[in-house]
Amino acid sequence: MVERDGSAAGRGEWRNRAGFVLAAAGSAIGLGNIWRFPSETARNGGAAFLVVYLACVALVGVPVMLAELSIGRRTRRNPVGAFMMLRPRTAWPLLGGLGVLTGIAILSFYSVVAGWTIGYLLKAVRGDFSTVEKASHAESFFRQAVGNGHWNLLLHGLFLALTVFIVVGGIKKGIELASRIMMPVLLVLLLGLVFFSISLEGSGSGLSFYLKPHWSDITPQVVVAAMGQAFFSLSLGMGAMITYGSYLNRKENLLSSACLVAGMDTLIAFLAGLAIFPAFAAAGANLEGLEGGAGLIFVVLPTIFSSIPFQPIGGILFGGAFFLLLSLAALTSTISLLEVGVSWAVDELRWTRLKASILLGLAAFMLGIPSAFANGGSRLFSGKHWLGMNFMDAMAMIFITYSLTVGAWLICIFAGWVWGTKAAAEEVRAGCENVSLVRAWTVLVRYLCPLAIAIILAVIYFRPGVIPT
Ligand code: PHE
């Protein structure tokens, strides 16, 4: 797959544009959309969060994605190698290193949650959802499921093993093929859930919580959370898109690809909210005081599945299909989290793809052990001893809220000022005729994005209370 000298020709390439777009969308679409987006929305006031989130995606997310893709395609390298090539003998390659580290760190707890989706898949197939019914039962059901540390650990290991297996397969046969099949099916299933959930009696208040913003709800906390969620959901700030861009040829239109990927990602997140909130309201839950938190979808969805007609078949079929697809969506994201480190080890350390995948997968497994025990499995890791929260939440705070935001900021500074918008725009223009859009992009990466992200970082720094603990 990758030639020993690391030359571009031997690194592998996407089969075609659709293959790339689907793989990048596969990276972007995952637990971030279906698990984290609804709980962040719930925790941050509903519709107000949605509005701020959409603005963050359009004004900051898409430009940063384009910056990453252009750095990747120009250099055809992993994030460390890319900065080394564009600015040798500077500190910039360290930014790539931060990306590799962040990828492994996010992978370590992401695959624990992904393990829950497999656990829930097994429960669904056993018919467990057909008997859950009330949200209060679903809550204890969830606590019990995730409180079993050893079971979590097993599923976490299983999920990482699947990830390693696909990454070993390389670009075309592994990553691209997996995404091509899974993404479209997920969309169809999600649409089905949305229609069902809206049709439930009493769903109206959920809809208005989600869609009718109260402007006064927009606080610094909401903006910080929305920006962090946008980077996480779009897989930005850690070089995943640099890596995916590096497998892209110069004929493709980067600008329209970035818009397409961001659009699909946002659509899936939006639909997930549209499936969750009406169902939650219909189950009689109080939306205003909603805490969000790691369990939201794992508590709400079983109540939806158990109210589907024709039990137990309804719960088994719908619940089973949904958690199967959620696991698969998570898989196309864990693949990209691992691929960043693997491409680095293959290009720079000259490891084989097999060795890199296995060793880095193992590192993520070890680092994930405390997270597997952080939701009831052990007093040490579940207790709020970790920056005032449990171990897994602390990892998410450090590596999502801080690391991705800092990473995205530095990538903007790099593309806008160091590498420079002239060189960056030249790369974007290859494959894209629309000069005025490219010009608009250069203004955004150079001025608006760094400024907006700097404000977010300043708020986090001066008012640490904006991050909920
Ligand atoms: N975007 C993925 C999701 O929403 C998570 C991810 C983040 C993947 C960063 C790669 C890089 O689930």
Side-chain angles (χ1 to χ4, degrees):
M1 173 104 294
V2 176
E3 259 157 36
R4 282 252 137 210
D5 63 1
S7 67
R11 290 181 81 244
E13 218 176 58
W14 307 108
R15 197 179 302 273
N16 54 26
R17 179 173 134 107
F20 159 73
V21 168
L22 281 175
S27 164
I29 296 169
L31 296 173
N33 308 59
I34 294 169
W35 162 67
R36 199 168 186 271
F37 176 78
S39 62
E40 288 295 295
T41 307
R43 187 154 59 185
N44 290 289
F49 178 84
L50 178 64
V51 173
V52 179
Y53 178 76
L54 293 176
C56 288
V57 168
L59 294 175
V60 182
V62 173
V64 173
M65 185 179 292
L66 206 46
E68 285 202 25
L69 290 176
S70 59
I71 293 170
R73 188 173 69 173
R74 162 56 63 88
T75 59
R76 310 210 125 216
R77 289 288 176 86
N78 67 92
V80 179
F83 289 112
M84 227 140 62
M85 198 164 150
L86 293 174
R87 284 296 174 272
R89 287 177 299 282
T90 62
W92 283 103
L94 288 177
L95 175 56
L98 177 69
V100 170
L101 179 76
T102 304
I104 299 298
I106 294 182
L107 179 60
S108 80
F109 62 86
Y110 194 97
S111 72
V112 171
V113 180
W116 299 349
T117 64
I118 297 194
Y120 264 57
L121 168 61
L122 298 178
K123 281 177 181 299
V125 175
R126 271 204 329 229
D128 288 2
F129 294 152
S130 314
T131 56
V132 179
E133 270 171 37
K134 298 230 171 51
S136 57
H137 294 184
E139 171 97 43
S140 59
F141 184 84
F142 172 70
R143 295 263 148 262
Q144 221 178 11
V146 301
N148 184 342
H150 292 97
W151 179 232
N152 275 340
L153 194 60
L154 186 76
L155 293 172
H156 163 62
L158 178 68
F159 206 88
L160 279 174
L162 283 173
T163 306
V164 168
F165 181 73
I166 297 190
V167 172
V168 169
I171 301 308
K172 283 194 193 103
K173 286 208 204 75
I175 304 178
E176 186 176 328
L177 189 69
S179 312
R180 249 173 206 280
I181 303 171
M182 298 183 229
M183 288 301 121
V185 190
L186 179 70
L187 178 65
V188 173
L189 203 72
L190 203 53
L191 278 174
L193 272 190
V194 168
F195 285 117
F196 181 73
S197 162
I198 293 179
S199 73
L200 292 172
E201 205 180 298
S203 62
S205 62
L207 274 183
S208 61
F209 172 76
Y210 186 43
L211 298 177
K212 268 216 202 105
H214 300 291
W215 301 112
S216 59
D217 286 350
I218 299 183
T219 60
Q221 176 190 322
V222 170
V223 182
V224 168
M227 190 69 103
Q229 173 62 19
F231 293 142
F232 179 68
S233 189
L234 297 170
S235 304
L236 298 176
M238 49 153 282
M241 291 297 160
I242 295 183
T243 310
Y244 275 27
S246 77
Y247 304 127
L248 200 56
N249 72 47
R250 292 198 93 209
K251 286 196 300 284
E252 307 301 347
N253 184 333
L254 290 184
L255 201 143
S256 65
S257 304
C259 292
L260 206 59
V261 171
M264 290 197 269
D265 184 67
T266 307
L267 176 71
I268 297 282
F270 178 72
L271 290 177
L274 215 48
I276 301 286
F277 293 111
F280 211 49
N286 173 15
L287 290 162
E288 295 304 326
L290 208 56
E291 276 279 309
L296 182 68
I297 68 153
F298 291 99
V299 173
V300 179
L301 288 172
T303 63
I304 311 187
F305 297 136
S306 66
S307 50
I308 287 175
F310 307 117
Q311 290 303 345
I313 300 297
I316 293 176
L317 275 186
F318 241 78
F322 184 83
F323 282 109
L324 176 66
L325 286 169
L326 187 53
S327 310
L328 296 176
L331 190 58
T332 51
S333 299
T334 53
I335 290 168
S336 69
L337 287 162
L338 186 60
E339 178 63 25
V340 174
V342 167
S343 70
W344 161 72
V346 167
D347 288 352
E348 308 300 326
L349 306 181
R350 298 278 186 264
W351 290 5
T352 59
R353 185 164 261 279
L354 181 71
K355 175 177 168 190
S357 311
I358 292 180
L359 289 185
L360 293 174
L362 215 55
F365 177 74
M366 305 295 270
L367 189 60
I369 294 175
S371 293
F373 287 88
N375 287 277
S378 114
R379 219 177 281 153
L380 174 62
F381 296 120
S382 307
K384 303 203 172 220
H385 314 305
W386 309 90
L387 307 167
M389 42 192 115
N390 74 33
F391 186 87
M392 192 162 111
D393 291 344
M395 287 291 282
M397 185 179 99
I398 296 172
F399 288 102
I400 296 178
T401 311
Y402 288 113
S403 185
L404 293 186
T405 312
V406 171
W409 185 64
L410 289 172
I411 286 168
C412 287
I413 301 284
F414 184 82
W417 298 89
V418 178
W419 187 29
T421 33
K422 202 160 151 266
E426 194 185 305
E427 185 60 36
V428 175
R429 268 204 308 272
C432 168
E433 257 79 82
N434 196 325
V435 181
S436 51
L437 274 183
V438 177
R439 184 156 315 133
W441 169 71
T442 57
V443 174
L444 289 177
V445 257
R446 205 169 151 87
Y447 302 104
L448 183 107
C449 300
L451 191 69
I453 306 173
I455 293 174
I456 299 279
L457 289 172
V459 172
I460 296 177
Y461 187 75
F462 290 111
R463 292 185 52 189
V466 294
I467 300 173
T469 54

